[in-house]
Amino acid sequence: MKLKVNVLMLFACLLLLPVLTAAQENPDTVLAEVAKIDNSTWSVTVSCTNSEDIVGLTVPFKMSAGMNKIVADSAVYTGGRVMHFNYRGFRADTAIQCVTLGMVANLGPSDNKLTPGTGRLVTVFVSSLEDKPIENLTVDTTTTEPTNSLLLFAHKSYADGMVDATTTEKAAKRSLVPAWVVRKAE
């Protein structure tokens, strides 16, 4: 009896394997890589893996260095995958130890987009406000006012197959929530 159950379970897993691998083929992912530069300065490099054309991104994250107050004092988009976007925003909120990054491909008659691929978007530099060394910096995604959450917005062609859909339904389909991954640089 036990052998039959094991064989049945193995068979079920084999049948589900193609479905599971197809679902995880190209997940949209935003990666935050945290690295120590010196005792009072760290960097957070934000990268993205996307499998469709993206025309907008919002990446809010909170930071913590224990009891040490910190500030995200600059963001460098130069050399990143969204360098050609019309708007590349950076808003640091020292009071709540958060950063909101916003990227918009087109604000006028242009056809910018983030093509499918993987790579760095921006590097954010974080410093100690209290002239104390930062022992450890942690980051995590959050929601910042007014309702900025981790989101990728796909190009309009992503929802073109929705012939009978309303504009609201098409916009909802284009709103993609990526996976959030944080790792320490080695």
Side-chain angles (χ1 to χ4, degrees):
M1 179 72 171
K2 190 174 182 180
L3 178 64
K4 287 182 182 179
V5 170
N6 287 341
V7 169
L8 185 60
M9 291 297 286
L10 179 63
F11 183 70
C13 287
L14 288 174
L15 286 176
L16 288 175
L17 189 60
V19 173
L20 294 174
T21 56
Q24 296 177 358
E25 189 173 286
N26 277 327
D28 295 319
T29 305
V30 174
L31 168 71
E33 186 172 41
V34 180
K36 182 177 182 176
I37 296 173
D38 60 36
N39 282 339
S40 61
T41 309
W42 287 60
S43 67
V44 179
T45 301
V46 178
S47 302
C48 180
T49 299
N50 56 298
S51 57
E52 58 282 305
D53 291 333
I54 301 295
V55 294
L57 302 92
T58 178
V59 182
F61 61 89
K62 59 185 175 180
M63 311 169 296
S64 176
M67 297 302 290
N68 194 350
K69 291 292 182 191
I70 54 177
V71 61
D73 48 26
S74 61
V76 177
Y77 285 94
T78 305
R81 294 180 63 211
V82 293
M83 188 172 71
H84 64 286
F85 274 28
N86 288 147
Y87 176 78
R88 298 169 309 277
F90 163 71
R91 185 184 71 183
D93 189 331
T94 306
I96 60 172
Q97 305 276 271
C98 288
V99 170
T100 304
L101 301 169
M103 294 147 265
V104 179
N106 305 296
L107 294 175
S110 58
D111 193 26
N112 296 326
K113 57 189 164 205
L114 181 64
T115 57
T118 298
R120 178 186 156 277
L121 302 175
V122 58
T123 302
V124 176
F125 294 94
V126 179
S127 302
S128 174
L129 279 176
E130 300 172 339
D131 203 27
K132 290 193 238 176
I134 300 173
E135 299 297 327
N136 188 30
L137 178 67
T138 60
V139 298
D140 197 1
T141 189
T142 188
T143 299
T144 57
E145 292 297 328
T147 67
N148 293 301
S149 58
L150 183 63
L151 184 68
L152 306 179
F153 199 71
H155 189 270
K156 63 182 178 181
S157 62
Y158 188 69
D160 278 349
M162 300 178 70
V163 178
D164 295 328
T166 65
T167 304
T168 305
E169 289 169 332
K170 286 182 180 183
K173 177 161 174 54
R174 292 172 57 194
S175 299
L176 308 172
V177 179
W180 171 258
V181 177
V182 177
R183 71 174 179 211
K184 296 274 186 186
E186 297 185 26

